[in-house]
Amino acid sequence: MPFREDDGRIRTGHAPAVMGILRRAALNRVRTVQRNLRSHVSIGLLRDRIGHRPRLLAPSLP
């Protein structure tokens, strides 16, 4: 539960499904960065680092 979904108040209409898709996409992106860094950093710590240095999400150019 890396995004604290239980604390959310989105419960009606299509909002829960949409937010689930967005959360999965964000988590997949963080996992991709984690694999590219080739380090054993936890998802939570990596999310914190990305928050401070969003450039980590940018694709590396050759």
Side-chain angles (χ1 to χ4, degrees), residues 26-42:
L27 191 55
N28 285 336
R29 185 65 181 123
V30 171
R31 285 181 180 147
T32 300
V33 170
Q34 185 182 33
R35 271 192 307 259
N36 290 341
L37 290 177
R38 293 186 178 95
S39 65
H40 300 292
V41 177
S42 70

Side-chain angles (χ1 to χ4, degrees), residues 43-62:
I43 295 290
L45 183 59
L46 188 57
R47 281 182 53 228
D48 194 42
R49 287 183 183 176
I50 290 170
H52 293 289
R53 292 180 40 201
R55 190 171 182 111
L56 288 172
L57 288 176
S60 59
L61 298 173

